[in-house]
Amino acid sequence: MTQAQLQPSGEHLSHHPHSEERRWQDYFTFSTDHKVIGIQYLVTGFLFYLVGGALATAIRTELATPAPDFVDPRLYNSLFTLHGTIMIFLWIVPAGAGFANYLLPLMIGARDMAFPRLNAVAFWIIPPTGILLISSFFFDPAQAGWTSYPPLSVTASQVGEAIWIMSVLLLGTSSILGGINFLVTLWKMRVPSMRLNQMPLFCWAMLSTSLLAVIATPVLAGALILLAFDLLIGTTFFNPTGGGDPVVYQHLFWFYSHPAVYIMVLPFFGVMSEVIPVHSRKPIFGYAAIAYSSLAISFLGLIVWAHHMFTSGTPGWLRMFFMITTMIIAVPTGIKIFGWLATMWGGKIRLNSPMLFAMGFISTFVVGGLSGVMLASVPFDIHVHDTYFVVAHLHYVLFGGSMFGIYTAIYHWFPKMTGRMINEPWGIVHFILTYFGFNLTFLPMHVLGLQGMPRRVAMYDPQFANINFICTIGSYILAVSTIPFLINAVWSWTRGTKAEDNPWQALGFEWLTSSPPSIENFEVLPVLTVGVYDYGMSDLSEVESRSSVEVKYPVGPDNEPVSATSDSQSK
Amino acid sequence: MNIPSTISTLLIGIVLTLLSLWYGQNHGLMPIAASDEANQVDDLFDTMMIIATGLFLIVQGTLIFCAFYFRKRKGDNTDGPGLHGNVPLEILWTAIPAAIVVWISIYSFEIYNTLGGVDPMTAGDMHAMHSPKSHRGAAIAAPLETMPSDSRQIALGVGASPLNQGKSAELEVNVTGLQYAWIFNYPDSGITTGELHLPVGQEIQVNLSANDVIHAFWVPQLRLKQDAIPGRTAQLRFTLNRVGEYPLRCAELCGSYHGSMITKLIAHTPEDYQNWVQSQQIASQPNNSKALALNPTNLSDSQFLAPYAQEMGIDTQLVSEMHHSHH
Ligand code: HEM
Ligand SMILES: [Cu+2]
Ligand SMILES: [Cu+2]
């Protein structure tokens, strides 16, 4: 028994401990179990990550020398277009949804998502769509970048562009369906004893993420449908010769795609807030501030989109408005970062692989955050917009923020998800390679951009050759760094040492159930008696004495906690 | 947790500040500045670098410090202190970043204003021109339709610095972007070229437009960039202060050969500039802009592109197809 009590619930539960063990085939079915769907998301996402990574390696190989000698410039444009699209829509967003699927119900003591079938639909949209998108390589793949600005996007490659629009529309639909499901689940399915402001911070992060997904994604859909009309039937919504305006597309696109960067990174902010307290053995520092800062980021995220358009069709006074709102986002982000640092401060930090990746996350995200504040400054952004400075920034934020976050989460929840421990030393090797590969690849890109190298070019001035070469070496190290991880994950999953239910002595609900969780998640519903972050409070640290811990928080009026008994935990 | 105030933190603070101040001014990351405006942008960048370096060192330093100092010791299975928060500290680290970003905003606004970013002549956009209330003076909005390429036109971009507001620039050049070339047309002298020749010391205005897709005019040494958008006009005003040759690139993805859409800005002394104008006028029957567009090999004498001229020639076909496929 840990922080919570497992209380026999009113409904009758059939006991099905071993007869319903999960088989590997289940992962290829239209399962409605949120845990299966979570894993399906994660594994599918990772496969697409390997594709996107291969494209990135091809891009960097091309850029190893100034001449366009590895691929021709036309193909190059398709490479970075599909690279960006795959990484965003088929890797980060699905990975966030995967963790949310797996963890949300467990964290709030629910048996499943609010709409299990919808959940499965949201997932099953993804694999065929991803294959569709990649198949465009056999035709004439889209070449207008993941932003797909008209008029270029409606002139460069018709078939590829149409496939691109179709894919992104479908992936957006999946993300809206997922978002609705998360919102309703968080709102309706919490155990009665868990108030909103006692929810784990990952849940807060997903709440904010889902709000963004539900509000902003339809706008992207609108933009893409109009773009499809322009492309396929010759309307002129965005075509000036017919009275349209390409800048309108940019507004619609960025109204979604700026919030999208928070859709991509907020879940991993949530992951940090879960993992750091556990491995620092301290409560999260400033729970409320971190929770509300997620909402603040969501809200501010909706009113900063035109900072992507400072050098486009944005009049001067409007640039100033967007400069200020963008700058202000740094404040809630800073609150989170300082909160995590303060959580670590004075703790008993276990420097294991989840914690190392978490620290790697903070370390790289801060670079992206600082360059982000710089980019918000209009006079400076005018210089570096659409250069490698932006490429560096976006990869520090998106790639650093997602990849370190995802690995943190995988190493942390691996025992729960698979019932096996993942190999530690190889995790550390993986971390070191990733961290150095990452910084070697992207740090020098800041210099390239400042010095004058534009982005999205296959050929560049020889003065940039040396720095580009360094970046390319870095990207190879990065590519190699996934190998120890892959081997480790597969090996540990199949034959790693068996994991205990709660190997980290963590306090979240998800650690109350068996590893991996039974199909119904909990035999009996848990009751929140002690906060999920109350490390180091009273004598919680003594694992054996946890069963006698007193109630720390008042629980909901309709659900008086019964006092703890040590034998009520399911085992 | 109390806000630490021991001697050692004071010392660390001083060292951090000195390091940040030094690096912020000696990073050497920016290319040469070729205009007064560019120097101002560099000052702003230096300031932001000082702050960024400081914050960077604080965060990375804390991480490394925690990793060593607060590492769990072998055999110690206890938890850290059950500390939930510290309101004064949280207020402090909300207020300081807030103050910093507000200050950077104000500073950026100042610079942007001196650059001419908030020149009322460029403050509207083309689509707003029919609604006089969005502009300060109806006199500005009213005659617009009758003066298509006049400098008074309300456009996007960076306009005149506050000192020069209301005056037209000393020299105007019309710049057209098309796949994959820039065409420069000097309305005063009728010259049309593929390289931008300009005198130093005069206020210059470039009027940007695009024929096919979006392009972006960028000269890194000027720290200036503006999209040339089909159907809209945009302008940039600046004063060169340094003789030399600078790359002038397209910065917005505009198709397969976007990367090769690069030419030169040549900053002359005023005398040299006059000589150049004269030589051009003698030599010229004004170039046909179409010819320039369809044969990029003519205009780019930048060395590195030479080997690919062949390939680009092949693309001519493509270019002309695209021009036709416009609805
Ligand atoms: C989760 C991981 C990643 C995400 C979300 C991501 C995202 C993006 C995006 C959105 C773009 C812009 C595409 C465009 O301009 O249309 C891009 C371009 C690029 N990415 Fe990534 N990326 C990721 C990983 C990587 C990795 C691992 C590498 C290097 C090994 C890499 C190298 C590049 C390069 C070189 C470009 C081209 C930049 C340009 O030409 O503008 N990316 N990426
Ligand atoms: Cu161009
Ligand atoms: Cu271009």
Side-chain angles (χ1 to χ4, degrees):
Chain A
M1 182 62 222
T2 59
Q3 81 286 12
Q5 302 162 3
L6 293 163
Q7 173 191 275
S9 69
E11 49 184 309
H12 173 74
L13 283 178
S14 57
H15 283 266
H16 34 230
H18 294 292
S19 58
E20 299 199 18
E21 284 267 289
R22 190 149 287 126
R23 296 157 307 147
W24 63 268
Q25 295 96 320
D26 293 349
Y27 292 101
F28 295 87
T29 61
F30 189 84
S31 170
T32 53
D33 180 347
H34 71 99
K35 299 182 290 299
V36 174
I37 297 178
I39 304 259
Q40 284 174 328
Y41 264 109
L42 290 172
V43 173
T44 314
F46 199 86
L47 293 177
F48 284 122
Y49 174 56
L50 295 180
V51 176
L55 297 180
T57 313
I59 296 173
R60 279 309 330 166
T61 305
E62 163 58 57
L63 294 175
T65 58
D69 41 14
F70 179 66
V71 290
D72 77 276
R74 201 176 155 84
L75 179 58
Y76 179 85
N77 288 1
S78 301
L79 288 180
F80 70 70
T81 300
L82 290 201
H83 160 74
T85 313
I86 288 174
M87 287 300 201
I88 287 175
F89 293 104
L90 290 166
W91 161 234
I92 314 189
V93 176
F99 288 116
N101 256 302
Y102 199 95
L103 295 171
L104 287 188
L106 289 171
M107 283 180 164
I108 61 174
R111 297 204 188 281
D112 205 328
M113 300 288 283
F115 310 115
R117 250 175 261 273
L118 187 70
N119 204 17
V121 172
F123 166 72
W124 279 106
I125 292 178
I126 293 176
T129 310
I131 293 169
L132 172 71
L133 180 66
I134 294 168
S135 75
S136 71
F137 265 116
F138 298 108
F139 308 103
D140 184 18
Q143 331 176 10
W146 84 284
T147 49
S148 208
Y149 281 2
L152 180 65
S153 53
V154 297
T155 50
S157 55
Q158 240 206 349
V159 180
E161 188 65 29
I163 294 180
W164 184 89
I165 292 175
M166 188 66 200
S167 314
V168 176
L169 270 177
L170 285 168
L171 295 170
T173 308
S174 157
S175 150
I176 294 176
L177 297 182
I180 293 173
N181 215 342
F182 299 145
L183 283 178
V184 177
T185 305
L186 287 175
W187 206 254
K188 286 282 179 205
M189 315 263 297
R190 265 172 293 133
V191 286
S193 59
M194 183 186 274
R195 286 182 290 144
L196 205 55
N197 60 4
Q198 294 171 328
M199 267 192 328
L201 287 164
F202 180 73
C203 300
W204 274 101
M206 283 316 301
L207 185 76
S208 318
T209 309
S210 309
L211 279 174
L212 277 181
V214 171
I215 296 171
T217 319
V219 179
L220 174 74
L224 292 180
I225 289 170
L226 297 185
L227 188 67
F229 283 155
D230 275 10
L231 176 77
L232 299 173
I233 55 178
T235 54
T236 55
F237 290 108
F238 306 127
N239 186 339
T241 53
D245 186 348
V247 178
V248 172
Y249 173 86
Q250 299 181 6
H251 280 290
L252 295 174
F253 178 84
W254 287 114
F255 184 82
Y256 164 75
S257 289
H258 187 80
V261 309
Y262 299 109
I263 296 177
M264 292 176 241
V265 86
L266 270 171
F268 304 107
F269 283 172
V271 166
M272 293 303 125
S273 305
E274 293 303 315
V275 172
I276 291 175
V278 177
H279 298 286
S280 307
R281 312 309 303 167
K282 274 186 69 211
I284 188 84
F285 193 95
Y287 171 91
I290 293 186
Y292 299 143
S293 65
S294 292
L295 286 179
I297 290 176
S298 290
F299 172 71
L300 289 169
L302 287 168
I303 54 170
V304 302
W305 75 91
H307 68 210
H308 296 271
M309 301 162 60
F310 281 154
T311 68
S312 169
T314 312
W317 61 272
L318 206 57
R319 296 180 185 183
M320 294 297 107
F321 171 78
F322 283 100
M323 169 166 85
I324 290 164
T325 50
T326 306
M327 291 263 179
I328 291 174
I329 291 205
V331 176
T333 314
I335 289 175
K336 282 183 191 288
I337 291 186
F338 292 129
W340 297 325
L341 291 178
T343 304
M344 291 164 54
W345 192 270
K348 306 266 170 86
I349 299 173
R350 307 170 183 155
L351 278 184
N352 50 16
S353 21
M355 193 62 192
L356 284 175
F357 274 100
M359 292 168 83
F361 177 98
I362 301 180
S363 164
T364 53
F365 196 83
V366 106
V367 177
L370 293 171
S371 61
V373 172
M374 293 186 173
L375 287 168
S377 165
V378 173
F380 175 69
D381 178 74
I382 289 178
H383 175 52
V384 291
H385 175 71
D386 260 329
T387 68
Y388 265 81
F389 191 88
V390 170
V391 178
H393 162 74
L394 88 88
H395 284 88
Y396 266 91
V397 179
L398 285 189
F399 180 46
S402 64
M403 179 258 305
F404 284 103
I406 290 168
Y407 284 135
T408 304
I410 292 179
Y411 281 103
H412 183 73
W413 280 290
F414 194 87
K416 181 52 65 185
M417 293 180 171
T418 63
R420 311 261 185 176
M421 298 305 287
I422 194 161
N423 179 291
E424 248 320 291
W426 281 109
I428 291 170
V429 170
H430 174 215
F431 170 75
I432 293 172
L433 281 175
T434 311
Y435 189 80
F436 283 100
F438 177 89
N439 285 295
L440 198 62
T441 312
F442 295 109
L443 199 63
M445 288 188 192
H446 292 102
V447 184
L448 285 176
L450 291 166
Q451 292 281 325
M453 180 163 161
R455 69 191 277 205
R456 299 172 162 183
V457 296
M459 51 199 118
Y460 54 85
D461 195 279
Q463 85 176 91
F464 304 124
N466 291 340
I467 303 184
N468 268 299
F469 190 72
I470 296 174
C471 297
T472 300
I473 299 295
S475 75
Y476 293 159
I477 298 178
L478 206 49
V480 168
S481 78
T482 47
I483 296 173
F485 169 73
L486 266 179
I487 296 175
N488 192 357
V490 172
W491 190 86
S492 300
W493 198 336
T494 48
R495 35 201 98 174
T497 45
K498 287 252 187 275
E500 300 162 35
D501 289 353
N502 188 0
W504 314 126
Q505 293 89 42
L507 298 181
F509 274 1
E510 75 271 28
W511 300 102
L512 280 176
T513 175
S514 55
S515 296
S518 60
I519 289 186
E520 294 278 356
N521 289 355
F522 303 97
E523 301 282 313
V524 288
L525 285 186
V527 174
L528 188 73
T529 52
V530 166
V532 294
Y533 297 113
D534 285 353
Y535 303 96
M537 309 285 286
S538 65
D539 42 11
L540 267 176
S541 52
E542 309 277 329
V543 179
E544 311 87 80
S545 70
R546 280 194 186 167
S547 50
S548 60
V549 158
E550 288 301 307
V551 175
K552 283 286 183 203
Y553 284 110
V555 296
D558 49 351
N559 198 301
E560 285 302 314
V562 290
S563 64
T565 49
S566 51
D567 53 307
S568 61
Q569 187 179 11
S570 65
K571 190 65 218 257
Chain B
M1 186 190 293
N2 284 317
I3 299 164
S5 59
T6 56
I7 299 288
S8 56
T9 42
L10 188 70
L11 283 178
I12 293 175
I14 294 173
V15 173
L16 263 180
T17 314
L18 291 177
L19 264 176
S20 315
L21 277 172
W22 177 83
Y23 186 68
Q25 277 147 337
N26 295 283
H27 51 74
L29 291 174
M30 282 287 199
I32 293 169
S35 70
D36 302 337
E37 293 88 350
N39 283 323
Q40 296 183 11
V41 175
D42 289 1
D43 290 344
L44 173 68
F45 177 61
D46 290 350
T47 311
M48 293 195 298
M49 274 307 273
I50 294 172
I51 297 170
T53 311
L55 288 169
F56 175 85
L57 292 175
I58 289 175
V59 173
Q60 309 291 3
T62 311
L63 280 172
I64 293 170
F65 183 78
C66 285
F68 286 99
Y69 198 78
F70 297 122
R71 199 177 59 246
K72 168 179 125 60
R73 311 286 148 180
K74 265 220 163 59
D76 178 0
N77 285 323
T78 60
D79 284 358
L83 197 74
H84 273 280
N86 176 323
V87 176
L89 192 60
E90 289 175 46
I91 292 179
L92 187 77
W93 72 44
T94 309
I96 291 181
I100 292 178
V101 296
V102 167
W103 182 69
I104 295 181
S105 300
I106 295 172
Y107 186 15
S108 303
F109 177 82
E110 274 302 307
I111 302 280
Y112 190 55
N113 189 29
T114 42
L115 296 188
V118 268
D119 175 8
M121 289 302 155
T122 59
D125 79 37
M126 289 295 283
H127 292 259
M129 71 192 187
H130 297 290
S131 62
K133 63 176 179 289
S134 67
H135 305 297
R136 280 294 128 81
I140 303 168
L144 266 175
E145 280 148 318
T146 55
M147 39 200 302
S149 65
D150 187 288
S151 63
R152 304 292 83 210
Q153 185 175 356
I154 292 174
L156 300 161
V158 173
S161 65
L163 280 181
N164 291 325
Q165 264 165 31
K167 294 184 238 163
S168 48
E170 292 167 71
L171 174 65
E172 272 192 50
V173 185
N174 295 327
V175 179
T176 308
L178 65 164
Q179 287 168 322
Y180 298 97
W182 291 109
I183 293 165
F184 305 100
N185 174 266
Y186 296 69
D188 294 343
S189 46
I191 299 171
T192 298
T193 57
E195 283 178 346
L196 183 57
H197 291 255
L198 294 173
V200 299
Q202 292 181 19
E203 209 201 5
I204 291 148
Q205 171 166 334
V206 294
N207 301 317
L208 298 165
S209 57
N211 275 7
D212 36 34
V213 300
I214 303 174
H215 303 270
F217 175 99
W218 182 36
V219 182
Q221 283 73 8
L222 294 180
R223 319 282 188 265
L224 274 183
K225 184 182 292 117
Q226 171 62 42
D227 285 7
I229 305 165
R232 294 192 172 208
T233 57
Q235 58 170 252
L236 289 173
R237 270 169 92 152
F238 53 87
T239 309
L240 294 164
N241 67 4
R242 210 188 145 97
V243 173
E245 284 188 12
Y246 312 112
L248 192 169
R249 306 162 189 278
C250 173
E252 179 68 56
L253 178 65
C254 57
S256 305
Y257 292 93
H258 162 57
S260 64
M261 187 162 159
I262 171 172
T263 179
K264 283 185 209 159
L265 184 163
I266 299 158
H268 297 277
T269 60
E271 305 80 61
D272 279 357
Y273 176 72
Q274 280 314 321
N275 294 342
W276 176 80
V277 170
Q278 269 153 24
S279 67
Q280 287 296 304
Q281 281 170 332
I282 293 164
S284 74
Q285 211 28 353
N287 280 328
N288 180 338
S289 58
K290 224 170 203 146
L292 271 173
L294 296 183
N295 200 351
T297 43
N298 277 354
L299 47 80
S300 183
D301 31 7
S302 60
Q303 331 77 318
F304 82 95
L305 273 177
Y308 322 117
Q310 204 75 26
E311 268 174 82
M312 288 166 54
I314 295 168
D315 208 50
T316 318
Q317 178 112 33
L318 177 89
V319 173
S320 49
E321 274 169 18
M322 277 175 188
H323 284 239
H324 291 302
S325 70
H326 264 282
H327 312 287

